[in-house]
Amino acid sequence: MKTLIKGGKVVTAIETMNADVMIVDEKVVGLVDSDSDISRSFSEDALVIDATDRLVVPGGIDVHTHFESEGQIAPVLDTFETGTQASAFGGTTTIIDFAWRATGGSLLDGLEHYHQMAQGDCAVDYGFHMMVNEVDDQTPKEMDMLVDEGITSFKMFMAYPGRMYSTDAQLLTCYQKAGENGSLIQMHAENGIAIDVLRDQAIDKGQTDPVYHSLTRPALLEAEAVHRSVVLAEIAGCPLYIVHLSSANALQEVVAARDRGLNVFAETCPQYLFLDLTDLERPDFEGSKYVCSPPLRPTDHQAELWRGLKTNDLQVIATDHCPFCWTQKELGRGDFRNIPNGIPGVEHRMELMYQGAVAEGRVSLNRWVDMCSRAPAQMFGLYPRKGTIAPGSDADIVLFDPESPHVISAETHHMNVDYSCYEGHEVTGKVDTVLLRGQVVVEGTEYLGRAGDGQYLSRDLCDGLI
Ligand code: URP
Ligand code: ZN
Ligand code: ZN
């Protein structure tokens, strides 16, 4: 099966060129001049997709999603099927979700459970990180076994005492193992022990509204946790990746570590760039829709995060997609501690980031591709199979219309959740056509793929030196 994407502007993380993309079966085989004889003869027996006035970019890679997750106060609403279909509509052709183990089970059992849930259901390619939510004597051994299975990154928590939290001793043990086997530690960096004190004190004072979720998780306690995590990683000699970094204070710690030459990296998420503390103050408990951890911050943090994206102090944009409907959020009426943590977003990452980064002139077109596709692929052992358009790479390709203004709304999104955090946000660029390994899976508003199109990705060790 041959496909030619004709007449578009190909944008990768490093170059922009007018070229036709030649695809055979699932792979890109070449990029050629549109007027060339090669393009003409290739088109004769190929499906030709007109990309005039479109950007032709590598499929997005969202390395932080929670589909079908059971580890929360309430079940997460998107299944692998609904969540990955929404991803496809948003131009994200690869997701990496988090497998975790039920209490008492092994990490490998936890992984197997996630394989069962995802297999045959995914609309885009998928991999797993392993959440290390309990550390015992077996954990380091299991980490080695998981690396052999293509699980090359491990999420640990300094937050959520009693549920996901690890002590410094447990962290160091796992960091040392990662230093040995070359895997990557992903850290949820918030000082959960101190935060729990502040949370309980707030409730005792009658401060029960959603905004106290943020006020009791101050940026300083995120920064402290990043700092401690960096120190432990330096001692253990392992690379470190801070997930969902939300504040200027935390970023300063990442910058300081990187300036010292350490392999410390971080992702931030659209919610920390486009939403803020005032959303948590919305009346009638509507603020609960915006509860996630780390929390939304006052707006003045946002300029620093954009600066970090521009200067590569922050490398990756992921969504931390974790949807709960309005009724589930209501569980926390009268006590913000019971509001399920997490917000939806997997569908809007590419368009929102195009808006904030490119349309509003903060960073370049290539950097947009870098943080949404190349850097996550490289960080998590998928590059150059994913994250670029080059001979030999998977033909995961998005035709993106940079001039198609529209408004984000729950009325039109595909995520399985009854509200959008970005309701009413205007964006100028639109995902138009999406190919997954050479197959058109989205065309305009139509989904042409099917559940099970997505393949499991066994990942290489992370290439930390990005
Ligand atoms: O609020 C969030 N982020 N929910 C998902 C779980 C996590 O910590 O990533
Ligand atoms: Zn987290
Ligand atoms: Zn998360």
Side-chain angles (χ1 to χ4, degrees):
M1 162 82 184
K2 288 165 71 179
T3 306
L4 184 71
I5 301 178
K6 189 157 190 61
K9 184 193 278 190
V10 177
V11 184
T12 68
I14 46 169
E15 54 199 347
T16 306
M17 62 195 137
N18 292 320
D20 292 356
V21 183
M22 299 188 297
I23 298 165
V24 174
D25 298 330
E26 301 196 339
K27 299 281 183 189
V28 173
V29 295
L31 284 84
V32 288
D33 195 294
S34 222
D35 297 327
S36 64
D37 289 343
I38 306 180
S39 175
R40 245 184 310 278
S41 79
F42 190 87
S43 70
E44 279 163 14
D45 55 348
L47 166 71
V48 178
I49 300 174
D50 180 10
T52 310
D53 297 331
R54 302 288 186 268
L55 306 177
V56 178
V57 301
I61 300 180
D62 189 344
V63 295
H64 194 148
T65 64
H66 301 276
F67 299 138
E68 260 170 277
S69 174
E70 297 146 346
Q72 304 271 336
I73 292 174
V76 167
L77 286 183
D78 263 318
T79 60
F80 280 95
E81 183 170 346
T82 62
T84 56
Q85 213 180 102
S87 310
F89 271 109
T92 288
T93 50
T94 297
I95 60 102
I96 309 183
D97 208 90
F98 292 85
W100 75 290
R101 64 166 165 186
T103 309
S106 70
L107 293 180
L108 286 156
D109 290 344
L111 174 64
E112 183 50 32
H113 179 54
Y114 268 75
H115 272 305
Q116 301 286 341
M117 286 198 286
Q119 201 169 22
D121 281 357
C122 289
V124 302
D125 286 356
Y126 65 99
F128 295 114
H129 316 283
M130 191 80 219
M131 277 191 192
V132 184
N133 50 303
E134 285 169 35
V135 180
D136 58 29
D137 292 350
Q138 293 306 307
T139 305
K141 253 181 257 154
E142 286 204 280
M143 286 172 71
D144 278 339
M145 289 152 90
L146 285 158
V147 167
D148 293 339
E149 301 267 322
I151 310 294
T152 53
S153 41
F154 298 92
K155 181 173 179 191
M156 302 192 74
F157 295 82
M158 297 164 115
Y160 309 139
R163 288 199 296 136
M164 304 291 201
Y165 173 83
S166 290
T167 63
D168 286 357
Q170 291 169 326
L171 294 179
L172 184 59
T173 305
C174 294
Y175 280 33
Q176 285 171 332
K177 174 47 74 183
E180 253 171 66
N181 68 18
S183 59
L184 183 68
I185 296 288
Q186 299 162 282
M187 182 47 60
H188 181 133
E190 287 186 293
N191 183 331
I193 301 285
I195 285 168
D196 271 8
V197 173
L198 298 180
R199 280 154 69 86
D200 293 348
Q201 286 172 348
I203 293 297
D204 288 347
K205 285 187 244 164
Q207 297 168 334
T208 61
D209 288 344
V211 71
Y212 291 103
H213 171 76
S214 181
L215 300 179
T216 56
R217 305 182 90 89
L220 275 178
L221 289 180
E222 187 185 16
E224 183 279 329
V226 171
H227 182 86
R228 188 158 31 103
S229 184
V230 167
V231 171
L232 294 174
E234 187 171 5
I235 286 168
C238 73
L240 176 68
Y241 175 93
I242 306 295
V243 292
H244 47 44
L245 184 141
S246 71
S247 67
N249 311 61
L251 178 57
Q252 265 167 23
E253 296 295 337
V254 170
V255 171
R258 289 176 65 76
D259 286 352
R260 289 200 295 120
L262 297 176
N263 271 335
V264 172
F265 309 96
E267 75 184 18
T268 190
C269 313
Q271 54 268 36
Y272 303 121
L273 298 163
F274 294 92
L275 307 173
D276 63 56
L277 188 68
T278 59
D279 288 303
L280 284 160
E281 290 167 344
R282 290 181 188 230
D284 301 327
F285 202 61
E286 212 198 327
S288 64
K289 293 177 179 172
Y290 298 85
V291 166
C292 59
S293 294
L296 302 184
R297 306 292 184 190
T299 37
D300 45 0
H301 290 263
Q302 292 175 354
E304 270 306 291
L305 298 183
W306 280 112
R307 191 205 55 74
L309 288 167
K310 187 170 177 176
T311 57
N312 200 35
D313 287 324
L314 287 167
Q315 293 74 39
V316 171
I317 293 289
T319 59
D320 194 8
H321 175 83
C322 190
F324 300 101
C325 67
W326 179 231
T327 331
Q328 291 172 304
K329 291 282 186 180
E330 294 262 9
L331 290 169
R333 227 183 237 281
D335 186 341
F336 68 87
R337 294 174 303 181
N338 296 329
I339 302 170
N341 277 213
I343 65 176
V346 75
E347 191 168 346
H348 300 305
R349 186 181 66 117
M350 299 291 282
E351 291 179 357
L352 280 169
M353 291 311 296
Y354 181 83
Q355 181 63 29
V358 186
E360 292 174 16
R362 291 188 180 90
V363 304
S364 73
L365 197 52
N366 306 94
R367 184 81 185 121
W368 168 61
V369 172
D370 198 20
M371 59 202 186
C372 291
S373 188
R374 187 210 63 91
Q378 186 167 24
M379 196 82 238
F380 292 97
L382 293 171
Y383 190 82
R385 176 175 171 191
K386 307 285 188 190
T388 191
I389 300 177
S393 65
D394 281 356
D396 296 343
I397 294 178
V398 175
L399 273 61
F400 191 87
D401 183 348
E403 300 293 340
S404 182
H406 62 286
V407 175
I408 294 176
S409 172
E411 308 251 301
T412 47
H413 76 201
H414 301 84
M415 301 177 287
N416 185 29
V417 58
D418 56 3
Y419 74 95
S420 171
C421 284
Y422 304 103
E423 189 71 41
H425 281 239
E426 289 178 27
V427 289
T428 59
K430 196 166 185 19
V431 171
D432 175 290
T433 303
V434 180
L435 285 81
L436 174 71
R437 280 178 282 100
Q439 183 200 340
V440 178
V441 290
V442 170
E443 203 168 58
T445 54
E446 250 189 290
Y447 178 63
L448 303 177
R450 49 184 180 83
D453 283 342
Q455 289 179 355
Y456 171 66
L457 298 165
S458 171
R459 294 180 291 115
D460 294 335
L461 286 173
C462 313
D463 181 354
L465 297 169
I466 59 173

